[in-house]
Amino acid sequence: MADNTFKLHIWASEKPFYDGDCVSLVIPSVDGKYGILARHSNTITAIVPGELTYTLPGQEPQIAAVSEGIVKIEDNDVLVLVETIERPEEIDANRAKAAADAAREAMMQKLSRREYYTTRLTLARAMSRLQVKGHSDRGGDK
């Protein structure tokens, strides 16, 4: 492992996503985008639905859509645990748009507080999937 890298482990509930060296990682957090480089201080923080960007040694930055989760940074070892994570080519834009439309419609109904927050997370996840897919379709970062 080079001095400018750290070990990165990204796990979704249904599968491992990546395990190896990483140069930089940017996660969506409740306070905005949160950047991680080698020798970052030890911490744990929440991940919200959004765009995750990671750069592997010698490669261009790559993006993925993530749902809610957590990140733990300890001794130059980063563990990302999320419910779901998808590369742009794995995202079905029509399905994501339909999910966003359904969530918007549901939010206009009389919902319990719990239903409202669950629906809001569904909408945020669908919107992040569309954003990541849009980057890919425009020829942006992959």
Side-chain angles (χ1 to χ4, degrees):
M1 182 167 53
D3 285 342
N4 68 335
T5 64
F6 56 91
K7 284 292 183 189
L8 176 61
H9 317 277
I10 302 175
W11 284 79
S13 61
E14 71 278 356
K15 64 181 177 190
F17 182 81
Y18 177 77
D19 193 4
D21 290 342
C22 186
V23 175
S24 70
L25 173 67
V26 178
I27 60 166
S29 76
V30 292
D31 295 322
K33 293 185 176 187
Y34 189 86
I36 301 165
L37 297 171
R39 296 176 299 286
H40 192 286
S41 60
N42 294 349
T43 192
I44 295 175
T45 194
I47 297 173
V48 297
E51 183 178 302
L52 177 143
T53 305
Y54 59 105
T55 304
L56 305 179
Q59 295 185 21
E60 293 293 316
Q62 299 178 45
I63 61 172
V66 294
S67 63
E68 62 282 344
I70 62 168
V71 62
K72 180 185 94 167
I73 306 163
E74 184 176 33
D75 301 329
N76 221 32
D77 194 86
V78 178
L79 174 62
V80 174
L81 299 172
V82 290
E83 185 69 28
T84 62
I85 185 166
E86 297 172 284
R87 291 177 177 88
E89 62 272 13
E90 298 171 330
I91 297 171
D92 180 337
N94 291 329
R95 197 170 116 219
K97 185 177 180 329
D101 292 344
R104 281 190 196 97
E105 180 67 31
M107 289 178 76
M108 293 195 295
Q109 307 303 315
K110 290 183 180 181
L111 302 173
S112 70
R113 185 172 291 189
R114 183 177 185 183
E115 290 170 326
Y116 173 80
Y117 285 115
T118 300
T119 303
R120 197 168 80 173
L121 276 174
T122 300
L123 177 59
R125 180 171 178 255
M127 296 305 296
S128 72
R129 293 175 75 227
L130 288 169
Q131 179 182 1
V132 167
K133 184 66 172 176
H135 271 280
S136 174
D137 290 346
R138 288 189 306 268
D141 297 331
K142 293 185 178 154

